[in-house]
């Protein structure tokens, strides 16, 4: 079934390979294609704010060409000469180039178009020269046109010949370009842009509100991805900084209506089966194809190969090579689907180049610093929750961008101001404000230096804990849990957080009672996993019911749950072992059907339970159907650590079967390894 182009959002279009080669078409088909192409160009709108006169002239010439081709189609039955066909083929290529240039100029960034005005004017001029040349050499007499159409061709030739002297740049456009360049130069010198001049520039470019600014920022970021020259990239990141600053200063801070509803996560949607990684069963972010032609998410298949496998997980075929080939077509389809569903689609490499370029660009850095200072100053004088919510949302968006933005926001003094909006009173009156505040703190905490700022700010930690325990929404609680996880990345803070019963209870409650959709339970589980690394915290976790909660969520979050259980039973003493008795059946199920990482942790956990728990625990495991076959399988295809743990488990079962159960608890459990950290989550800005 054909897919309508309207099904996909507008995007930067690049010339197709077929636009620059001669078409292999019959005479009449070529004529009809030329007529159709010229009509398509004629139906395009001229550029609205820049190069309007130039684009309008090109479109009018295409209209005259469509009249010319229509008359030939209607009246001609003769076979054309070789010269005519060659001219028509060249015209076809030329019209493709014209259409591509017009569409690219219409769909791209206006700021970038402004800086490229002279270059684009030259491109249009070159196309006019080519059209003039083709019309001059076209043997019009052979075509037997009627008098009216001959006049049209004559008019077209005259128009083109008048335009061949030099390219035209509207003085207004050029003056606007120089003004933007001047502002960028002043930014490099740490001079704040003049508000009235900035307003005039935005108005002339048709950027009239915050929504237009957001679209412009998207276009600039897409343009950055298309560029290869460092100079162009440097100009683009400077423009990104300028537009961000202008958006806040000119249009104020506001929460767009579309963002009042939380952006959906991929886990909340039923996405197309072809977009799902066969290994992780999650939405693929970086699809790659292996030697057998099957496609997987890069991270999942890399872990598979690094674990020693040389087969395709889906087909079982031996891989001829381990090269991973990016599947860009599928990645583009997934990205477009995510945009339509309003869910984030970002990969580590997506913004890496942009972030690195910003670090090297003085204008971009100064614009970021000015934007952060402006927003923080505005937040400090905000009188209403509605006004504060807009500013906090802008800070959240800025803090999501990169490390420099996070540093600038914190240095401007945002953290103490954000703490004011974490309380239950704010959550009750304005839940979105509480969500935005805690999420901004989460994003800021991704910068190592900001972790100290947050922990040392009066009321910040208590505010985060209050949101975790009694936040107005699950999103607020989940992001508070993610903040706890981020802060616990520092050893000293992990010990401090692990001593707080309110933190432990809040995380366990969220993991146990959180909704099945979304990533709230997972946020809580990875934070628990981090805190469980401290032996002192394990006792509090066991007392808080972490073992029972882990068993409850094991089906939905097997890797996180099994890893938490492994470290708790290893460090939690006999109380944890006794509580884990009911886990044996679930662990055996994971051992049978789980992912490589989950099976590894399940095997290690069962070894610890059996060694410390005695014969009763071993007997429970031995009663599982076909458990020895499952263990043998893991010994053959599991990770290195999984194979070692499976072998230990098999020895324990055989000793028990041989009547040596009394010795089970003495089988050197001091050799139990540390928990694999492969399941440790990475928090990303949201």
């Amino acid at each position: 079934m054909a897919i309508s182009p309207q099904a996909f959002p507008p995007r930067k279009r690049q010339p197709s390979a077929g636009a620059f080669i001669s078409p292999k078409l019959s005479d009449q088909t070529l004529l009809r294609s030329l007529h159709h192409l010229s009509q398509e160009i004629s139906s395009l709108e001229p550029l609205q704010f820049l190069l309007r006169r130039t684009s309008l002239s090109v479109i009018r010439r295409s209209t005259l060409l469509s009249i010319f081709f229509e008359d030939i189609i209607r009246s001609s039955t003769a076979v054309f000469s070789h010269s005519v066909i060659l001219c028509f083929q060249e015209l076809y290529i030329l019209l493709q180039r014209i259409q591509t240039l017009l569409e690219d100029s219409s769909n791209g960034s206006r700021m970038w178009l402004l800086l490229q005005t002279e270059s684009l004017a030259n491109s249009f001029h070159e196309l006019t020269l080519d059209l003039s040349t083709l019309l001059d050499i076209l043997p019009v007499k052979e075509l037997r046109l009627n008098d009216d159409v001959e006049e049209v061709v004559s008019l077209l030739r005259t128009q083109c010949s008048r335009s061949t002297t030099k390219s035209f740049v509207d003085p207004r456009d050029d003056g606007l370009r120089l003004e933007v360049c001047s502002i960028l130069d002043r930014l490099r010198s740490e001079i704040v842009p003049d508000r009235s001049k900035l307003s005039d520039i935005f108005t002339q470019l048709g950027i009239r509100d915050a929504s237009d600014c957001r679209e412009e920022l998207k276009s600039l970021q897409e343009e950055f991805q298309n560029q290869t020259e460092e100079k162009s990239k440097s100009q683009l990141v400077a423009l990104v900084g300028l537009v961000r600053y202008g958006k806040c200063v000119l249009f104020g801070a506001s929460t767009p209506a579309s963002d009042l509803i939380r952006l959906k996560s991929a886990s909340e949607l039923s996405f197309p089966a072809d977009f799902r990684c066969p290994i992780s069963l999650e939405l693929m972010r970086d699809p790659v194809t292996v030697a057998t032609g099957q496609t997987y998410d890069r991270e999942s298949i890399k872990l598979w190969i690094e674990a020693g496998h040389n087969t395709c997980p889906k087909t079982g075929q031996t891989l001829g090579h381990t090269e991973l080939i990016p599947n860009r077509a599928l990645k583009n389809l997934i990205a477009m689907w995510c945009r339509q569903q309003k869910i984030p689609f970002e990969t580590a490499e997506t913004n890496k180049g942009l972030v690195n370029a910003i670090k090297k660009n003085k204008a971009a850095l100064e614009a970021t610093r000015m934007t952060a200072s402006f927003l923080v100053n505005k937040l400090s004088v905000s009188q209403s929750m509605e006004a504060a919510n807009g500013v906090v949302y802008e800070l959240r968006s800025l803090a999501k961008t990169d490390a420099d933005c996070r540093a600038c926001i914190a240095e401007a003094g945002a953290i103490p101001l954000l703490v004011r909006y974490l309380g239950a009173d704010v959550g009750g009156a304005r839940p979105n404000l509480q969500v935005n505040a805690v999420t901004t703190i989460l994003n800021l905490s991704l910068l190592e230096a900001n972790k100290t700022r947050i922990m040392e700010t009066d009321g910040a930690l208590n505010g985060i804990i209050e949101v975790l325990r009694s936040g107005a929404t699950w999103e607020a609680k989940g992001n508070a849990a993610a903040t706890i996880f981020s802060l616990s990345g520092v050893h000293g803070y992990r010990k401090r957080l692990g001593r707080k019963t309110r933190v432990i209870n809040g995380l366990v409650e969220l993991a146990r009672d959180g909704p099945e959709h979304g990533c709230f339970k997972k946020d809580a589980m990875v934070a628990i996993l981090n805190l469980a690394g401290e032996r002192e915290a394990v006792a509090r976790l066991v007392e808080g019911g972490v073992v029972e909660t882990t068993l409850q969520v094991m089906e939905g979050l097997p890797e996180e749950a099994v890893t938490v259980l492994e470290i708790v039973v290893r460090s939690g003493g006999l109380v944890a072992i006794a509580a884990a008795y009911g886990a044996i059946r679930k662990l055996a199920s994971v051992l049978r059907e789980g992912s490589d990482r989950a099976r590894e942790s399940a095997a290690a956990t069962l070894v610890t339970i059996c060694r410390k728990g005695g014969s009763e625990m071993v007997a429970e495991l031995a009663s599982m159907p076909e458990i020895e076959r499952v263990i043998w399988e893991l010994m053959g295809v599991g990770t290195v650590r999984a194979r070692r743990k499976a072998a230990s488990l098999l020895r324990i079962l055989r000793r028990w079967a041989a009547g040596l159960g009394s010795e089970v608890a003495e089988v050197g459990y001091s050799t139990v390894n540390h928990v694999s950290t492969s399941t440790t989550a990475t928090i990303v800005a949201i």
Side-chain angles (χ1 to χ4, degrees), residues 415 419 440-442 444-447 449-461 464 483 487:
I415 295 172
V419 171
T440 305
I441 293 175
L442 166 61
L444 292 175
S445 74
L446 303 185
L447 183 66
N450 285 347
K451 297 184 197 298
T452 301
R453 289 189 174 103
I454 293 168
M455 293 295 286
E456 293 181 355
T457 297
D458 288 342
L461 182 57
I464 294 166
T483 307
L487 295 173

Side-chain angles (χ1 to χ4, degrees), residues 448-649:
E448 204 68 18
N450 285 347
K451 297 184 197 298
T452 301
R453 289 189 174 103
I454 293 168
M455 293 295 286
E456 293 181 355
T457 297
D458 288 342
L461 182 57
N462 285 335
I464 294 166
I465 297 172
E466 183 175 350
V467 175
L468 175 66
R469 296 300 307 275
S470 58
T473 66
W474 289 114
E475 183 182 9
K477 292 181 177 183
N479 289 348
T483 307
I484 296 292
F485 169 77
S486 178
L487 295 173
S488 66
V490 177
H491 179 71
Y493 300 152
R494 182 162 63 246
K495 292 177 71 72
R496 180 175 163 187
L497 291 165
R499 295 190 189 106
K500 292 185 176 292
T501 304
R502 288 200 305 150
V503 171
I504 299 294
N505 291 342
L507 293 174
V508 172
E509 287 168 8
L510 179 59
R512 183 185 65 233
D513 303 328
E516 295 302 323
H517 65 80
C519 54
F520 312 119
K521 287 177 177 285
K522 185 171 184 177
D523 289 336
M525 290 299 291
V526 296
I528 288 170
L529 178 59
N530 241 21
L531 296 183
E534 295 296 324
R535 186 176 292 271
E536 186 180 343
V538 173
R540 290 187 176 86
L541 284 167
V542 173
E543 185 179 337
V546 74
V547 175
E548 295 82 355
T549 297
T550 299
L551 298 183
Q552 184 178 320
V553 303
M554 190 173 292
E555 185 175 343
L557 297 169
E559 290 187 6
E560 292 79 6
V562 173
T563 309
V564 168
L565 192 58
E566 177 187 355
I567 194 169
V568 167
V569 300
R570 179 165 57 84
S571 307
L574 294 178
V575 175
I577 296 296
Y581 179 78
I584 293 176
R585 288 184 176 275
K586 290 196 173 186
L587 288 169
S589 178
V590 173
L591 203 65
R592 189 189 314 272
E593 301 173 353
S595 66
D596 279 359
R597 287 185 289 181
R599 295 174 81 190
E600 175 186 314
S601 285
T605 307
L606 286 168
V607 167
T608 305
I609 290 174
C610 290
R611 282 174 171 168
K612 291 185 177 183
S615 298
E616 186 178 355
M617 299 286 191
V618 183
E620 178 69 12
L621 178 62
S623 70
M624 300 293 102
E626 299 184 336
I627 189 63
E628 283 204 15
R629 183 189 62 78
V630 173
I631 294 172
W632 272 109
E633 179 186 343
L634 187 58
M635 289 171 63
V637 300
T639 64
V640 174
R641 181 170 181 257
R643 291 197 294 268
R644 190 171 67 248
K645 293 298 179 182
S648 297
L649 203 54

Side-chain angles (χ1 to χ4, degrees), residues 57-73:
S57 296
V58 170
I59 291 171
R60 284 173 176 168
R61 288 170 193 142
S62 294
T63 303
L64 295 177
L65 279 173
S66 70
I67 297 171
F68 167 62
F69 293 127
E70 183 180 4
D71 184 70
I72 299 175
I73 292 170

Side-chain angles (χ1 to χ4, degrees), residues 84-98:
V84 171
I85 293 298
L86 284 177
C87 284
F88 282 173
Q89 289 175 342
E90 291 300 316
L91 277 169
Y92 182 87
I93 296 171
L94 179 63
L95 289 175
Q96 289 270 24
R97 292 165 59 199
I98 290 172

Side-chain angles (χ1 to χ4, degrees), residues 645-671:
K645 293 298 179 182
S648 297
L649 203 54
L650 188 61
R651 285 196 299 271
I652 291 172
L653 287 174
R654 290 191 168 178
R655 281 178 173 271
W656 173 84
L660 301 176
S662 61
E663 299 179 19
V664 166
E666 301 174 8
V667 182
Y669 75 83
S670 61
T671 61

